[in-house]
Amino acid sequence: MSVQWLHATILPVPNPPEQNPILVSLGQQLFHDERLSGDRTVSCATCHALETGGMDREKVSTGIGGKKGVIRAPSVFNSHLNHTQFWDGRVKTLEAQVDGPLHDALEMASNWPLVIGRLNADPQVRSDFKKVFNEELNPEQVRIALAAFQRTLMLTNSPFDRWLAGDMEAITAQQKNGFRLFQEYGCISCHQGANVGGNMFARMGSLESFTLFKSADMERVSLGRYNVTGNRKHLYVFKVPGLRTAALNHYFFHDSSANSLEEAVEIMARVQLGRHLTRDQAQDIAEFIRSLLGEHPMLKQVLSD
């Protein structure tokens, strides 16, 4: 076992938990099934395309009828590692998360009676669910199947994880320096663990106001956990995002207000840590973050484009 691994605040991404393969297959099918949306035009994969990182990489997502959302869609890869789901952390489990987009008028605009009716009309789906649950198809089974599939979406064997395990050549000198700066400047105080984030809440703009709101709708979602709890102490508090897929983003933060990884690093250093980075420092940290990206058979996107 590597000495680096023993002393690291960042841990390697674990392998997915073992699960019933029939259940996982059902969840994968449902993840791509447009019957879950009210007008049969949108699936989970519409906003969370696995080939390009488990997200649509747009400023905001487009739901049924061309309706635009009000917040950036995060990646579903490694979501199993998050301590809560959604930017504001309003639910704790992947199962509970399913109801949010399914009922949202800007996303799927659907409901459970409609979805269950459609799935029950499919003899194969009905038969497959019977094999796992041995009871009539119901919403909880759909939630369990979707969550089971999402738990398989783990990005493993990243260059940085290989370096943690002892492969000294797995990352570049620039990435090693970026990791050093990431630790010394304090980024690691919020971004740690296997997902390099996703395990705590933090205020957006701890040392400097973050007010890059784009519209009245965006201003509301930028209130963060306050919208969940009503507690003014939770104004602008969000779940700290994991950085494992940050290298694939086209836009950054909940409001898509940063257009590059380097820009996002510079903004976070300033508003969270009170540090003004040089261009070289921001680039080195960004290169370290790129080394965090792991592998999955369904992830086809490459960093170069």
Side-chain angles (χ1 to χ4, degrees):
M1 183 178 291
S2 167
V3 173
Q4 288 168 296
W5 190 91
L6 286 172
H7 292 283
T9 308
I10 296 174
L11 302 174
V13 174
N15 291 321
E18 291 189 12
Q19 300 179 97
N20 185 322
I22 298 177
L23 185 62
V24 170
S25 179
L26 271 170
Q28 182 175 352
Q29 176 183 331
L30 292 170
F31 190 84
H32 295 86
D33 197 331
E34 294 176 344
R35 289 176 295 184
L36 271 62
S37 65
D39 65 356
R40 297 174 180 257
T41 62
V42 174
S43 72
C44 305
T46 302
C47 299
H48 299 284
L50 302 179
E51 297 84 358
T52 56
M55 53 198 154
D56 58 15
R57 301 170 77 187
E58 301 292 336
K59 285 191 172 183
V60 295
S61 298
T62 302
I64 70 167
K67 295 178 181 178
K68 295 291 184 180
V70 295
I71 199 165
R72 185 174 68 82
S75 174
V76 292
F77 279 109
N78 292 356
S79 56
H80 169 57
L81 298 175
N82 292 333
H83 78 304
T84 58
Q85 305 300 323
F86 298 114
W87 283 97
D88 57 16
R90 61 184 179 272
V91 302
K92 291 184 177 296
T93 68
L94 290 171
E95 288 83 357
Q97 182 271 339
V98 172
D99 286 62
L102 189 140
H103 289 114
D104 194 298
L106 300 179
E107 297 183 52
M108 290 182 160
S110 191
N111 60 75
W112 283 118
L114 180 64
V115 169
I116 298 302
R118 289 173 177 173
L119 297 179
N120 260 325
D122 185 326
Q124 187 61 57
V125 171
R126 196 168 63 245
S127 173
D128 288 342
F129 268 102
K130 271 279 192 181
K131 293 175 185 176
V132 179
F133 296 100
N134 196 30
E135 62 181 3
E136 293 301 314
L137 182 59
N138 60 61
E140 186 58 22
Q141 294 171 13
V142 176
R143 296 185 189 102
I144 290 171
L146 282 166
F149 172 61
Q150 289 183 73
R151 290 190 177 97
T152 71
L153 301 176
M154 304 284 274
L155 296 174
T156 58
N157 196 41
S158 73
F160 187 78
D161 286 355
R162 296 197 300 273
W163 181 73
L164 286 178
D167 181 356
M168 297 297 98
E169 304 303 316
I171 62 176
T172 67
Q174 184 182 22
Q175 290 168 335
K176 291 173 186 175
N177 189 56
F179 180 44
R180 179 185 64 81
L181 296 174
F182 190 85
Q183 296 175 94
E184 290 182 1
Y185 290 171
C187 313
I188 205 163
S189 63
C190 292
H191 292 283
Q192 32 30 38
N195 206 22
V196 200
N199 56 4
M200 62 178 286
F201 294 110
R203 175 164 285 102
M204 186 73 162
S206 296
L207 296 181
E208 183 178 323
S209 178
F210 185 89
T211 56
L212 306 178
F213 307 143
K214 305 302 180 185
S215 66
D217 285 337
M218 184 56 71
E219 185 169 357
R220 182 178 183 281
V221 298
S222 290
L223 299 179
R225 279 191 63 71
Y226 174 79
N227 290 328
V228 179
T229 68
N231 186 336
R232 292 192 63 81
K233 292 181 179 179
H234 295 155
L235 279 168
Y236 317 121
V237 169
F238 294 86
K239 179 184 68 182
V240 175
L243 297 181
R244 290 287 186 172
T245 58
L248 297 176
N249 289 354
H250 279 181
Y251 302 99
F252 297 81
F253 312 139
H254 64 282
D255 64 355
S256 296
S257 56
N259 298 321
S260 73
L261 185 51
E262 286 78 5
E263 181 186 7
V265 167
E266 290 177 3
I267 291 173
M268 283 291 94
R270 190 183 77 239
V271 304
Q272 299 301 108
L273 303 170
R275 293 183 178 273
H276 294 267
L277 303 183
T278 66
R279 178 176 298 181
D280 286 346
Q281 288 168 335
Q283 287 177 341
D284 287 0
I285 292 174
E287 282 304 310
F288 153 67
I289 292 172
R290 291 185 176 102
S291 78
L292 296 171
L293 181 64
E295 303 168 349
H296 190 279
M298 295 182 187
L299 176 63
K300 307 300 182 185
Q301 189 65 40
V302 293
L303 296 181
S304 60
D305 66 356

